[in-house]
Amino acid sequence: MAEGDRPEVPVIVDVPERVPGALALLGLLMLRPIDLHYRLREAGIRSPAGRIGQLWREQAEGGRAAGAFVARMLLLLVVLSPGLTVLTGLGLHVMGVPMRGVWFLSAALCSAVGLVVALVSGLASGVLLGSLASMSMLAGLHATAGGAFGPESGGLAAMAVGICLGIVSGLSAGSIGGLASGRGPSVRNVQVAAIATSVVPMFVWSGASSVSFAGAVAASALVAFLACAFRLPFYALEVLAQAVAYAVERFTGRPTLRWVPVRHHNLSYLPHPFLGRHLALAVRSRPAEVLAVADACLRSPGNILVGWPWVVEALERAHAQEAVEPQA
């Protein structure tokens, strides 16, 4: 074979320095899973949402980034999550919240279940489900059984159980989907997952308790799942942050595009007001920042239309104005 005909050797990327620390990983998983997907791919990890076995194989093949990722995720699941659960439980106990059962053992149980999920489904799935379930069981199981929300079979107790289920599954669904695919789950997929989240508790509690209790659990789980999967509790804060950032730049001239919430949260399914006007203020003076925000818009399901199509049009309009002004 001639020298020029030699096949190209694929370049293996392995940059463990690009893998965030444990606490940063948790924050990115919750708020910016799509950004984390691409960051881990840039570090050389082929399966950011893969099972522990897949990531260990990557490490065995020389992937130091995969090894660092596994180590930090397991630190979250096995050490930080149960430790935070124990501290929170102690705080509730000191405050006088009634709790039943050996509640601190549930933290270890959730970590064990998370390890099983990490082996079977995916490391990120196991860490998120195990960590969130560990915290939610304090209220959803132990405080409810202890009578913190009234009688164990009452309406408030059923709502507490359902809300905890909905929060865990809703937050996990968006983060796991974003990390796995590099884009936010579609509205249809969220709706299907919401139905499953409400139907399963209905069947489970119908056999263990009354039909009315099971219905209350299912209804509250459905509402909590939709609110968390679509990140509705974050939206009010995002609207306020976007309005403040726009007002500051509009009336003081101080650059505030780095403040816009679309750059710090990937899974907002509702558009942010004033974002387009904010970009218009900076499109001529700071096009690089505008393009960075436009790229973030493409990763936000509710702000895609504020992204590249609008920015390209705005840049062309600004360029045309600059061409006309010298002639005038």
PDB file of all heavy atoms in Angstrom, residues 62-76:
ATOM      1  N   GLY A  62      -8.432   2.581  28.437  1.00  0.00           N
ATOM      2  CA  GLY A  62      -7.547   3.742  28.565  1.00  0.00           C
ATOM      3  C   GLY A  62      -8.261   5.053  28.752  1.00  0.00           C
ATOM      4  O   GLY A  62      -7.616   6.108  28.751  1.00  0.00           O
ATOM      5  N   GLY A  63      -9.572   5.045  28.920  1.00  0.00           N
ATOM      6  CA  GLY A  63     -10.332   6.273  29.067  1.00  0.00           C
ATOM      7  C   GLY A  63     -10.300   6.794  30.501  1.00  0.00           C
ATOM      8  O   GLY A  63     -11.114   6.394  31.336  1.00  0.00           O
ATOM      9  N   ARG A  64      -9.370   7.670  30.777  1.00  0.00           N
ATOM     10  CA  ARG A  64      -9.275   8.231  32.126  1.00  0.00           C
ATOM     11  C   ARG A  64     -10.480   9.102  32.455  1.00  0.00           C
ATOM     12  O   ARG A  64     -10.898   9.203  33.607  1.00  0.00           O
ATOM     13  CB  ARG A  64      -7.991   9.037  32.262  1.00  0.00           C
ATOM     14  CG  ARG A  64      -6.702   8.222  32.129  1.00  0.00           C
ATOM     15  CD  ARG A  64      -5.504   9.149  32.125  1.00  0.00           C
ATOM     16  NE  ARG A  64      -5.580  10.080  30.997  1.00  0.00           N
ATOM     17  CZ  ARG A  64      -4.953  11.244  30.932  1.00  0.00           C
ATOM     18  NH1 ARG A  64      -4.196  11.632  31.958  1.00  0.00           N
ATOM     19  NH2 ARG A  64      -5.067  12.024  29.875  1.00  0.00           N
ATOM     20  N   ALA A  65     -11.058   9.759  31.444  1.00  0.00           N
ATOM     21  CA  ALA A  65     -12.229  10.605  31.672  1.00  0.00           C
ATOM     22  C   ALA A  65     -13.413   9.769  32.161  1.00  0.00           C
ATOM     23  O   ALA A  65     -14.139  10.176  33.069  1.00  0.00           O
ATOM     24  CB  ALA A  65     -12.596  11.352  30.391  1.00  0.00           C
ATOM     25  N   ALA A  66     -13.601   8.601  31.555  1.00  0.00           N
ATOM     26  CA  ALA A  66     -14.684   7.719  31.994  1.00  0.00           C
ATOM     27  C   ALA A  66     -14.470   7.276  33.427  1.00  0.00           C
ATOM     28  O   ALA A  66     -15.417   7.217  34.225  1.00  0.00           O
ATOM     29  CB  ALA A  66     -14.779   6.506  31.066  1.00  0.00           C
ATOM     30  N   GLY A  67     -13.231   6.965  33.793  1.00  0.00           N
ATOM     31  CA  GLY A  67     -12.943   6.572  35.164  1.00  0.00           C
ATOM     32  C   GLY A  67     -13.222   7.693  36.148  1.00  0.00           C
ATOM     33  O   GLY A  67     -13.786   7.461  37.227  1.00  0.00           O
ATOM     34  N   ALA A  68     -12.837   8.929  35.798  1.00  0.00           N
ATOM     35  CA  ALA A  68     -13.102  10.065  36.681  1.00  0.00           C
ATOM     36  C   ALA A  68     -14.595  10.306  36.825  1.00  0.00           C
ATOM     37  O   ALA A  68     -15.086  10.602  37.925  1.00  0.00           O
ATOM     38  CB  ALA A  68     -12.409  11.311  36.128  1.00  0.00           C
ATOM     39  N   PHE A  69     -15.335  10.149  35.748  1.00  0.00           N
ATOM     40  CA  PHE A  69     -16.781  10.348  35.775  1.00  0.00           C
ATOM     41  C   PHE A  69     -17.451   9.323  36.690  1.00  0.00           C
ATOM     42  O   PHE A  69     -18.289   9.667  37.529  1.00  0.00           O
ATOM     43  CB  PHE A  69     -17.328  10.249  34.357  1.00  0.00           C
ATOM     44  CG  PHE A  69     -18.818  10.412  34.248  1.00  0.00           C
ATOM     45  CD1 PHE A  69     -19.442  11.547  34.732  1.00  0.00           C
ATOM     46  CD2 PHE A  69     -19.594   9.433  33.651  1.00  0.00           C
ATOM     47  CE1 PHE A  69     -20.821  11.700  34.628  1.00  0.00           C
ATOM     48  CE2 PHE A  69     -20.959   9.572  33.534  1.00  0.00           C
ATOM     49  CZ  PHE A  69     -21.581  10.715  34.032  1.00  0.00           C
ATOM     50  N   VAL A  70     -17.082   8.057  36.551  1.00  0.00           N
ATOM     51  CA  VAL A  70     -17.662   7.006  37.391  1.00  0.00           C
ATOM     52  C   VAL A  70     -17.338   7.260  38.865  1.00  0.00           C
ATOM     53  O   VAL A  70     -18.217   7.156  39.737  1.00  0.00           O
ATOM     54  CB  VAL A  70     -17.152   5.626  36.950  1.00  0.00           C
ATOM     55  CG1 VAL A  70     -17.560   4.557  37.954  1.00  0.00           C
ATOM     56  CG2 VAL A  70     -17.690   5.274  35.566  1.00  0.00           C
ATOM     57  N   ALA A  71     -16.099   7.593  39.159  1.00  0.00           N
ATOM     58  CA  ALA A  71     -15.693   7.799  40.548  1.00  0.00           C
ATOM     59  C   ALA A  71     -16.479   8.939  41.194  1.00  0.00           C
ATOM     60  O   ALA A  71     -16.940   8.823  42.341  1.00  0.00           O
ATOM     61  CB  ALA A  71     -14.197   8.085  40.616  1.00  0.00           C
ATOM     62  N   ARG A  72     -16.672  10.028  40.468  1.00  0.00           N
ATOM     63  CA  ARG A  72     -17.364  11.179  41.048  1.00  0.00           C
ATOM     64  C   ARG A  72     -18.865  10.938  41.169  1.00  0.00           C
ATOM     65  O   ARG A  72     -19.498  11.389  42.132  1.00  0.00           O
ATOM     66  CB  ARG A  72     -17.068  12.418  40.206  1.00  0.00           C
ATOM     67  CG  ARG A  72     -15.613  12.851  40.352  1.00  0.00           C
ATOM     68  CD  ARG A  72     -15.146  13.820  39.300  1.00  0.00           C
ATOM     69  NE  ARG A  72     -13.690  13.941  39.349  1.00  0.00           N
ATOM     70  CZ  ARG A  72     -12.968  14.672  38.505  1.00  0.00           C
ATOM     71  NH1 ARG A  72     -13.571  15.359  37.540  1.00  0.00           N
ATOM     72  NH2 ARG A  72     -11.658  14.702  38.621  1.00  0.00           N
ATOM     73  N   MET A  73     -19.436  10.211  40.217  1.00  0.00           N
ATOM     74  CA  MET A  73     -20.862   9.892  40.316  1.00  0.00           C
ATOM     75  C   MET A  73     -21.119   8.931  41.473  1.00  0.00           C
ATOM     76  O   MET A  73     -22.103   9.071  42.212  1.00  0.00           O
ATOM     77  CB  MET A  73     -21.344   9.295  39.000  1.00  0.00           C
ATOM     78  CG  MET A  73     -21.369  10.280  37.848  1.00  0.00           C
ATOM     79  SD  MET A  73     -22.674  11.504  37.991  1.00  0.00           S
ATOM     80  CE  MET A  73     -24.037  10.606  37.274  1.00  0.00           C
ATOM     81  N   LEU A  74     -20.251   7.951  41.657  1.00  0.00           N
ATOM     82  CA  LEU A  74     -20.414   7.019  42.780  1.00  0.00           C
ATOM     83  C   LEU A  74     -20.207   7.724  44.116  1.00  0.00           C
ATOM     84  O   LEU A  74     -20.828   7.367  45.121  1.00  0.00           O
ATOM     85  CB  LEU A  74     -19.447   5.847  42.642  1.00  0.00           C
ATOM     86  CG  LEU A  74     -19.741   4.874  41.495  1.00  0.00           C
ATOM     87  CD1 LEU A  74     -18.705   3.765  41.462  1.00  0.00           C
ATOM     88  CD2 LEU A  74     -21.142   4.291  41.618  1.00  0.00           C
ATOM     89  N   LEU A  75     -19.348   8.733  44.139  1.00  0.00           N
ATOM     90  CA  LEU A  75     -19.178   9.524  45.354  1.00  0.00           C
ATOM     91  C   LEU A  75     -20.487  10.216  45.716  1.00  0.00           C
ATOM     92  O   LEU A  75     -20.889  10.261  46.889  1.00  0.00           O
ATOM     93  CB  LEU A  75     -18.064  10.558  45.151  1.00  0.00           C
ATOM     94  CG  LEU A  75     -17.828  11.542  46.304  1.00  0.00           C
ATOM     95  CD1 LEU A  75     -17.341  10.810  47.541  1.00  0.00           C
ATOM     96  CD2 LEU A  75     -16.829  12.619  45.884  1.00  0.00           C
ATOM     97  N   LEU A  76     -21.186  10.737  44.706  1.00  0.00           N
ATOM     98  CA  LEU A  76     -22.491  11.349  44.947  1.00  0.00           C
ATOM     99  C   LEU A  76     -23.484  10.339  45.502  1.00  0.00           C
ATOM    100  O   LEU A  76     -24.200  10.625  46.473  1.00  0.00           O
ATOM    101  CB  LEU A  76     -23.043  11.921  43.634  1.00  0.00           C
ATOM    102  CG  LEU A  76     -22.510  13.263  43.147  1.00  0.00           C
ATOM    103  CD1 LEU A  76     -23.068  13.578  41.768  1.00  0.00           C
ATOM    104  CD2 LEU A  76     -22.877  14.376  44.123  1.00  0.00           C
TER     105      LEU A  76
END
